[in-house]
Amino acid sequence: SGGVAFFNDLSLALMGRYRGGSAKIAITASSLFGSISGVAVSNIVATGIVTIPMMKKAGFSPRLAASVEAVASTGGQLMPPVMGAVAFLMADFLELPYQSIVIAALVPAILYYVALFIQADLEAAKNGIDRVEEHLIPKFWDVMKAGWVFVFPFAALIYALFWLNWRAETAALLASGVVLVLGLFIGYKGQKMNLNHVWRSFSDTGNSVLDVLMIVAGAGFIIGTLQVTGLGFAFTLFIVEAGGDNLFLLLLIAAVLCIVLGMGMPTVGVYILLAILIAPSLVEVGVTPLAAHMFILYLGMMSLITPPVAVAAFFAACIAKAPPMATGWTCMRFGWTAYVVPFLFVFSPSLLLQGTLGD
């Protein structure tokens, strides 16, 4: 419908005039697109093909350009109001309304992207990288004039979820319908959808759903095996005993396991596996269920940028023509704060907007 082009232009208009603007554009575009995509690799495809060459041209090394895009795209899975399929699964596991998950994710997601902005600014200062060239930056009001209609799908989704209290899937269908109308009849800067695009959207959605169904079916076998054999309880007991009475040590063990178990798997599969194996042990020692599940989501997601199987990092490295493994290590250096944030909200649930307003 032209929405991706609008997000890229909006990011360029907002961030292009600042030091290291090309990296900040990548971070902004990835957070915007990630909030509706929730899949790191598709985020890199949609925004990285524009932002990675832009960062390289500005003076960022190929390895760093790929790392910025990979880390920013990975964080899109945490960005409300959509957060990808995992948020719906989490709501199901915790038996909470989807709205509660979105509200809890808000502050950690903002912290994640603020930290990336600071890192990008420091990298730009260290490497002497200036703003984007003036002629490449579109005027903000021109961008908004052409693309302001893309506010409507978000507005429809949020209104249906929070005011009408619709089920999440019904609200998503409403927002999709709005996008369909906008894409067919308005578009962005002359780019419109046609019936072939609509058909391809249905086809791509069918393929995506098949992936999720296969993952969930496989996870079902794991859950069944763990319950029948008692391994799930034994694994929880083992982790709790390994951590002893030290919550921080237990969290460190859980964090390593989350990253290792998540390597090479899509986020949905990672979350289901960790929700069965790791989350119960955290709840057992007094971590609130919501904080425990957010913790495993964050750390499981970090497997996408953590070597040796850093799928998002390798994919971005391919676009940037950078060495894959070196890009993975650079991702860890650039996104180091993302490994810290989950520990913060376990010890301080108020970061998940749990507790009183004063908290």
Side-chain angles (χ1 to χ4, degrees):
S1 64
V4 176
F6 168 65
F7 289 148
N8 281 330
D9 285 350
L10 181 61
S11 306
L12 196 52
L14 288 172
M15 296 295 158
R17 292 177 176 82
Y18 298 103
R19 176 174 67 188
S22 54
K24 292 170 184 174
I25 289 161
I27 293 166
T28 306
S30 293
S31 68
L32 288 170
F33 186 72
S35 71
I36 56 169
S37 129
V39 181
V41 171
S42 68
N43 200 338
I44 293 168
V45 171
T47 61
I49 54 173
V50 175
T51 57
I52 289 174
M54 189 187 298
M55 284 186 276
K56 287 171 66 178
K57 186 178 179 184
F60 287 97
S61 68
R63 188 173 66 185
L64 185 55
S67 300
V68 171
E69 181 58 45
V71 177
S73 293
T74 299
Q77 296 162 95
L78 307 166
M79 197 66 182
V82 180
M83 296 176 63
V86 172
F88 299 98
L89 289 171
M90 190 185 295
D92 208 41
F93 263 107
L94 295 172
E95 297 180 352
L96 288 172
Y98 178 72
Q99 296 94 309
S100 301
I101 306 298
V102 170
I103 290 168
L106 185 61
V107 174
I110 291 170
L111 281 175
Y112 182 95
Y113 278 103
V114 166
L116 294 191
F117 263 97
I118 294 168
Q119 287 287 99
D121 193 66
L122 293 172
E123 290 286 353
K126 185 173 76 173
N127 295 304
I129 297 169
D130 207 355
R131 48 173 281 172
V132 175
E133 296 168 31
E134 184 65 37
H135 72 276
L136 294 175
I137 305 172
K139 297 285 187 288
F140 174 77
W141 292 114
D142 290 345
V143 173
M144 291 306 296
K145 185 179 175 183
W148 66 273
V149 291
F150 290 106
V151 171
F152 285 119
F154 286 95
L157 183 71
I158 292 166
Y159 179 70
L161 281 173
F162 291 93
W163 274 270
L164 299 180
N165 288 314
W166 286 10
R167 290 170 63 88
E169 51 268 43
T170 313
L173 281 172
L174 173 66
S176 300
V178 173
V179 172
L180 195 64
V181 172
L182 294 177
L184 287 170
F185 297 106
I186 298 175
Y188 180 66
K189 291 186 175 178
Q191 177 186 340
K192 291 183 183 178
M193 292 172 71
N194 56 43
L195 293 178
N196 185 46
H197 292 140
V198 176
W199 170 251
R200 202 168 71 222
S201 297
F202 278 106
S203 170
D204 290 348
T205 302
N207 287 330
S208 300
V209 169
L210 282 175
D211 287 345
V212 174
L213 285 173
M214 293 301 291
I215 291 164
V216 173
F221 284 115
I222 296 170
I223 294 168
T225 305
L226 290 171
Q227 287 177 342
V228 170
T229 60
L231 278 172
F233 176 75
F235 193 74
T236 299
L237 195 64
F238 169 73
I239 296 174
V240 171
E241 286 185 353
D245 296 326
N246 190 324
L247 178 57
F248 183 70
L249 179 59
L250 177 64
L251 289 173
L252 275 179
I253 294 168
V256 172
L257 286 171
C258 286
I259 292 170
V260 171
L261 290 171
M263 285 181 178
M265 289 179 68
T267 312
V268 173
V270 173
Y271 172 72
I272 293 171
L273 190 62
L274 297 177
I276 301 158
L277 294 175
I278 308 296
S281 60
L282 298 179
V283 174
E284 187 72 23
V285 295
V287 178
T288 63
L290 183 56
H293 280 255
M294 288 293 288
F295 180 87
I296 63 168
L297 171 59
Y298 257 78
L299 272 305
M301 190 187 70
M302 287 299 100
S303 64
L304 290 168
I305 58 168
T306 307
V309 190
V311 176
F314 291 177
F315 204 89
C318 193
I319 296 174
K321 296 181 173 59
M325 191 60 74
T327 301
W329 294 117
T330 306
C331 280
M332 286 188 70
R333 178 172 65 81
F334 184 77
W336 69 269
T337 48
Y339 296 88
V340 176
V341 169
F343 289 85
L344 297 181
F345 58 64
V346 167
F347 287 106
S348 179
S350 56
L351 284 174
L352 298 176
L353 301 182
Q354 306 290 296
T356 66
L357 186 61
D359 294 332

